[in-house]
Amino acid sequence: MSFARDESGPAAVPEAKQAGEAQARGEWAERSVWTPRMLEALEKGVKGGVWFSLIDKVYRPRTLQLAWQQVRARKGAPGVDHQSIEEFERGLERNLARLEEELRQGSYRPRPILRVYIEKADSKEKRPLGIPTVRDRVVQAALRMVIEPIFERDFAQHSYGFRPRRGCKDALRRVNRLLKAGNHWVADVDLRAYFESIPHEELMVEIRRHVADSRVLALIEGFLKQGILEDLVLWSPERGTPQGAVISPLLANIYLHPVDVAMEDAGYGMVRYADDIVVLCRSESEGQEALSFIRGLVEARKLTLHPEKTHLVDSSIPGEGFEFLGYHFERGKRWPRKRSLKKMKDAIRSKTKRCNGHSMEAIVSNINGTLRGWFEYFKHSNKWTFARIDPWVRRFRLGSVRSWAAGGAPVS
């Protein structure tokens, strides 16, 4: 399938500048990894758009030290070697020196990933999560710091997930702008098991467009093909990049970049956060065309759309609407979707159980932390949202705490 622009398609959607995008390109890049000379080359472009000699930046002691700091800040569970963050830190100097030597000599090999499953909200399905070892997370973080600016330079404006100085709120602002501009027909696109479906060879083709260092390419392929330990059975994946691996979000964005470019060239109002995609259109016919167009692009990438979760809606009709990044959008308004509200209530319930062993002051402080964080994200909801939540928290949950504290029966 060709990714050429369809001249008969919709007019291009103007893109407002994001808050930090007026700053120099690459300013967010780690300066001890990306030197002024490299940043200048990044801005002007290198010959053929391909970068060589990158592996020495990956195993540089300062890069590994910065990578370790990122891994420690994110915490996380031990991998298959049972080594915790704390244990790695106790022998930090020795562990980083060993990684540097193995990467320098080309003897580094990633260890298997520990596969676990986590519950999906309101679903019988479970989400697979891969837990690399701490040492592998450090190497992946170092690798990402070196190659991310190369690809970030070309990523589309409407892509927001797992990118520097971008986030959910930026994506939500673009959705809001498009809705206000009259784009109320929405193609809600769901990629089926995206992270587990990325074909390795096709992904490596995209990476080779900009990276020619054979040792860096081998390192990436090693992470793609590293074994997975699941229920004491070790197996090798033929597709996908594990959710939970440090490098996976960047690889996922690289693989969908051609789709981003084609949709942007065709003028569609697309908003993508990792594998969460909506395309906002002015009419039903444009929405159908957009859905058909992106379906072809996705299938050309050897991916599939979820047949039940991918659909076209008129968000101006009561009861229709669409969901994106925790919000429900309908009739020009937005409020927390049901699953977001349920998750918050479940969190409050867990902190107000009868036998939690904490004082009233501690419970209230704990609840306030959860509520502040939830409000900060959903504060742009329709005005009646918090008027309904506040009495539930005060009367039914704190009332429950006061009741059992006084010897009465708790309220559920």
Side-chain angles (χ1 to χ4, degrees):
M1 168 172 289
S2 172
F3 285 160
R5 178 189 175 102
D6 179 4
E7 296 297 341
S8 63
V13 177
E15 174 64 42
K17 293 290 185 181
Q18 297 299 313
E21 289 173 4
Q23 300 176 9
R25 192 194 304 274
E27 183 176 322
W28 54 269
E30 178 50 57
R31 292 310 177 91
S32 62
V33 178
W34 276 80
T35 63
R37 183 179 177 183
M38 291 174 66
L39 289 171
E40 183 180 2
L42 181 68
E43 180 64 24
K44 293 180 178 179
V46 294
K47 185 177 180 179
V50 181
W51 289 75
F52 297 84
S53 303
L54 294 171
I55 189 65
D56 60 309
K57 282 77 175 174
V58 177
Y59 63 65
R60 185 180 293 161
R62 178 57 179 161
T63 305
L64 292 173
Q65 180 66 38
L66 290 169
W68 153 250
Q69 292 173 9
Q70 292 181 10
V71 170
R72 180 179 57 184
R74 294 185 61 170
K75 301 180 181 180
V80 295
D81 60 358
H82 306 293
Q83 186 180 46
S84 66
I85 293 284
E86 293 76 18
E87 289 170 334
F88 189 92
E89 187 170 24
R90 281 196 285 271
L92 181 61
E93 186 175 344
R94 180 181 67 256
N95 288 330
L96 294 184
R98 183 183 298 131
L99 286 178
E100 178 192 354
E101 187 65 19
E102 290 179 1
L103 289 166
R104 185 190 299 272
Q105 294 181 352
S107 61
Y108 169 82
R109 298 292 182 274
R111 294 171 182 170
I113 283 180
L114 180 62
R115 170 66 62 87
V116 297
Y117 289 87
I118 58 176
E119 300 287 342
K120 280 187 176 181
D122 296 337
S123 175
K124 294 181 180 179
E125 298 179 3
K126 291 187 177 182
R127 186 187 306 277
L129 183 68
I131 305 177
T133 61
V134 176
R135 69 188 291 275
D136 289 343
R137 300 204 298 260
V138 171
V139 174
Q140 287 190 22
L143 176 63
R144 185 186 63 190
M145 280 192 288
V146 172
I147 69 171
E148 185 174 41
I150 297 171
F151 295 95
E152 180 65 29
R153 179 179 185 273
D154 296 327
F155 280 164
Q157 295 291 335
H158 62 249
S159 167
Y160 296 91
F162 306 108
R163 294 183 58 190
R165 296 187 178 179
R166 283 170 165 252
C168 293
K169 290 190 176 182
D170 298 310
L172 292 168
R173 289 187 190 102
R174 174 165 163 82
V175 169
N176 194 49
R177 288 196 302 270
L178 290 169
L179 287 172
K180 287 183 176 179
N183 299 277
H184 57 86
W185 281 92
V186 181
D188 193 350
V189 179
D190 187 279
L191 295 175
R192 173 178 271 175
Y194 174 54
F195 280 82
E196 297 86 60
S197 302
I198 299 174
H200 293 167
E201 288 304 317
E202 286 79 358
L203 171 60
M204 292 306 301
V205 168
E206 297 300 328
I207 294 172
R208 290 189 188 101
R209 295 185 193 278
H210 294 294
V211 175
D213 187 318
S214 60
R215 293 173 66 182
V216 166
L217 294 172
L219 191 59
I220 296 172
E221 287 191 280
F223 285 126
L224 290 174
K225 298 183 182 299
Q226 67 187 121
I228 295 179
L229 183 64
E230 182 176 359
D231 295 330
L232 301 181
V233 176
L234 183 65
W235 56 278
S236 298
E238 297 181 358
R239 301 169 68 90
T241 178
Q243 293 191 63
V246 176
I247 198 70
S248 288
L250 174 60
L251 299 181
N253 276 333
I254 291 172
Y255 193 64
L256 279 183
H257 178 62
V259 176
D260 291 337
V261 171
M263 292 295 289
E264 188 171 46
D265 287 348
Y268 290 116
M270 176 170 161
V271 187
R272 181 172 73 82
Y273 192 96
D275 58 343
D276 203 351
I277 303 170
V278 289
V279 187
L280 292 89
C281 307
R282 289 183 174 274
S283 65
E284 182 177 9
S285 61
E286 183 186 331
Q288 293 289 2
E289 291 169 1
L291 195 53
S292 176
F293 188 58
I294 196 171
R295 187 186 302 277
L297 297 173
V298 165
E299 290 175 353
R301 302 261 80 196
K302 297 185 179 181
L303 304 170
T304 57
L305 299 184
H306 197 294
E308 297 175 359
K309 297 179 180 179
T310 299
H311 55 278
L312 180 67
V313 299
D314 182 355
S315 65
S316 66
I317 297 178
E320 289 286 325
F322 64 98
E323 295 181 348
F324 186 63
L325 299 181
Y327 275 94
H328 178 84
F329 293 83
E330 185 180 320
R331 292 168 293 161
K333 299 180 177 62
R334 57 174 165 169
W335 55 85
R337 65 178 183 174
K338 290 181 180 179
R339 281 194 293 178
S340 300
L341 189 59
K342 180 180 183 298
K343 186 176 180 180
M344 183 275 291
K345 287 188 173 182
D346 287 345
I348 298 300
R349 286 191 183 98
S350 69
K351 296 178 179 184
T352 54
K353 289 181 179 179
R354 181 169 187 171
C355 301
N356 59 34
H358 298 291
S359 67
M360 173 67 76
E361 183 179 359
I363 293 172
V364 171
S365 176
N366 198 4
I367 291 175
N368 283 342
T370 298
L371 293 177
R372 287 191 187 99
W374 199 82
F375 172 78
E376 180 60 29
Y377 187 77
F378 290 105
K379 64 184 178 182
H380 299 292
S381 298
N382 189 275
K383 60 183 180 181
W384 48 257
T385 300
F386 301 102
R388 295 180 179 179
I389 294 174
D390 187 64
W392 179 85
V393 174
R394 293 178 181 276
R395 179 179 177 185
F396 293 102
R397 300 316 306 167
L398 290 181
S400 170
V401 175
R402 293 188 182 96
S403 177
W404 64 253
V411 180
S412 62

